[in-house]
């Protein structure tokens, strides 16, 4: 009879030990994930590197610019089809190519500043 109680007590202690280990392991993994979400520089100099939210916002802005550029390439009637395909490829895969820069410079909308005459105020 005492052996049964002893085995039962031993089993309860083992189960509580396993449960404690798993909860400690989960908290350790959570802390490690929080730590590894940051880059090495962010761990020490937080102001130098953009946060994840800023990086995603910048990525969205770049995607929007790329879409606008693709629309500009599609709607342009002056360029040839072969060049249009190359420009589309550059806009998607190589946004810093010389061909794409040349196209953007050629079709950039010139914004002229409004100047007032001296007698107008």
């Amino acid at each position: 009879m005492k052996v049964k109680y002893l085995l039962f007590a031993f089993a309860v202690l083992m189960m509580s030990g396993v449960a404690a280990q798993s909860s400690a392991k989960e908290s350790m993994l959570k802390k490690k994930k929080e730590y590894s979400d940051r880059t090495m520089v962010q761990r020490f100099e937080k102001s130098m590197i953009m946060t994840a939210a800023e990086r995603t916002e910048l990525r969205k802005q770049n995607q929007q610019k790329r879409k606008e550029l693709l629309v500009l390439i599609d709607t342009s009637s002056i360029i040839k089809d072969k060049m249009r395909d190359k420009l589309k490829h550059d806009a998607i895969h190589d946004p810093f190519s010389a061909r794409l820069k040349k196209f953007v410079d050629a079709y950039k909308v010139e914004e002229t500043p409004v100047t007032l005459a001296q007698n107008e105020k």
Side-chain angles (χ1 to χ4, degrees):
M1 189 79 166
K2 287 186 178 185
V3 175
K4 289 182 183 178
Y5 289 124
L6 187 59
L7 287 175
F8 179 72
F10 183 70
V12 168
L13 287 175
M14 288 294 289
M15 294 303 260
S16 64
V18 170
Q21 285 180 354
S22 65
S23 64
K25 182 178 179 181
E26 290 172 3
S27 65
M28 182 196 65
L29 289 175
K30 183 179 178 185
K31 184 185 263 187
K32 185 177 180 182
K33 184 180 182 314
E34 288 173 357
Y35 185 73
S36 66
D37 282 345
R38 297 178 287 173
T39 61
M40 182 62 81
V41 176
Q42 281 178 328
R43 293 177 191 165
F44 302 106
E45 280 294 329
K46 294 179 182 170
S47 62
M48 282 180 71
I49 305 295
M50 294 187 291
T51 63
E54 291 171 340
R55 288 193 305 265
T56 56
E57 182 62 32
L58 185 63
R59 215 172 283 125
K60 287 179 185 177
Q61 290 174 358
N62 289 340
Q63 288 175 353
Q64 182 64 28
K65 287 179 186 177
R66 184 179 298 126
K67 287 179 185 178
E68 292 171 0
L69 184 60
L70 288 171
V71 168
L72 178 67
I73 292 170
D74 283 338
T75 58
S76 177
S77 61
I78 298 172
I79 58 176
K80 298 177 182 176
D81 289 334
K82 191 172 185 179
M83 180 60 90
R84 181 175 286 126
D85 292 337
K86 289 179 181 179
L87 288 172
K88 283 182 183 179
H89 182 270
D90 286 346
I92 294 170
H93 299 289
D94 187 18
F96 301 109
S97 70
R99 180 175 37 223
L100 191 61
K101 286 180 184 177
K102 185 177 177 182
F103 171 77
V104 170
D105 289 341
Y107 290 96
K108 185 188 289 185
V109 177
E110 295 289 331
E111 294 183 14
T112 57
V114 178
T115 58
L116 297 175
Q118 282 188 340
N119 57 3
E120 292 181 14
K121 290 188 180 180

